[in-house]
Amino acid sequence: MADVKLIGAPLSPYVLRAIIALSLKKVEYELLQEKFGSELLLKSNPIYKKIPVLIHHDRPICESAVIVEYIDEVWPESGWGAILPADAYHRSLHRFWTFYVDDKWCPSLVATGKAETEEAKAEAVEQVRAGLLLLEEAFVKLSEGKAFFGGDRVSYLDVTFGCFANWIKAVEQLVSVELLDAATMPALHGWAVRFLEHEAVKEVMPDSGKVLEYLKTLQSKGKKDAADAKN
């Protein structure tokens, strides 16, 4: 266990990417919940100064998507098997949609939770749902009628997008709006249910209620900071 350490907070969806990947590979590790700005975090990730950071044999690996690929390459056949698709074209598609999730979709989900007016919330919700509809189409094409984005087993995009599954539920409760519904996104909704029920995922995925409480704390802090800034 001493050879593998993970710096991060278990409620962070980006840290969850690494945690889920390690769980899929059945790799033992030590979770280090360092504070932002800690000496170890700054030493391990001096460029971005953020979590997660995987430390393997005292060498840091940064950025969640990179960490997932590293875990898959270092332990290729461990646990549930390969995470990245075997086919080069499919790998490129999984990476493309991972970039879309991080660059376009996730900011909309964050904006939904932070919205201070009904107009802002409605706009953010529309963007989140539009992104989910695109991911619904992507799932249908990539899964080819099977259970996961990777077909019969959990693969790269399942991990990099699935880490947000309970965050979606928590944001839905926070703003009282359904984002991922079975009526308009049946394939993606079914995938989310199966993903959360996967043995390697349910062992490590935080309950949506805990995520909701965390989001409420962040929301309260944001309102207080905004009020202090006006004074």
Side-chain angles (χ1 to χ4, degrees), residues 11 109-110 113 166-172 174 208-221:
L11 289 180
L109 185 68
V110 172
N166 274 349
W167 275 71
I168 294 172
K169 289 184 178 182
V171 172
E172 287 178 330
L174 184 69
S208 61
K210 291 182 179 179
V211 178
L212 177 60
E213 289 305 311
Y214 177 65
L215 290 177
K216 286 180 177 178
T217 300
L218 291 181
Q219 191 178 61
S220 297
K221 183 179 183 301

Side-chain angles (χ1 to χ4, degrees), residues 35-49:
K35 293 182 178 180
F36 284 98
S38 74
E39 182 180 351
L40 178 60
L41 179 57
L42 294 178
K43 177 184 176 182
S44 303
N45 190 358
I47 306 302
Y48 287 109
K49 304 176 179 62

Side-chain angles (χ1 to χ4, degrees), residues 25-42:
K25 296 294 185 174
K26 300 184 179 180
V27 174
E28 292 188 358
Y29 65 97
E30 180 182 358
L31 181 64
L32 305 175
Q33 299 192 52
E34 296 284 321
K35 293 182 178 180
F36 284 98
S38 74
E39 182 180 351
L40 178 60
L41 179 57
L42 294 178

Side-chain angles (χ1 to χ4, degrees), residues 97 100 104-105 108 122-138 179-180 184-185 188:
W97 284 108
Y100 171 78
K104 298 294 184 182
W105 181 79
S108 298
E123 182 179 352
V125 166
E126 183 179 354
Q127 291 175 352
V128 170
R129 287 181 59 82
L132 290 174
L133 285 169
L134 289 176
L135 286 159
E136 163 93 358
E137 294 176 10
L179 300 172
L180 178 57
T184 56
M185 306 166 211
L188 198 63

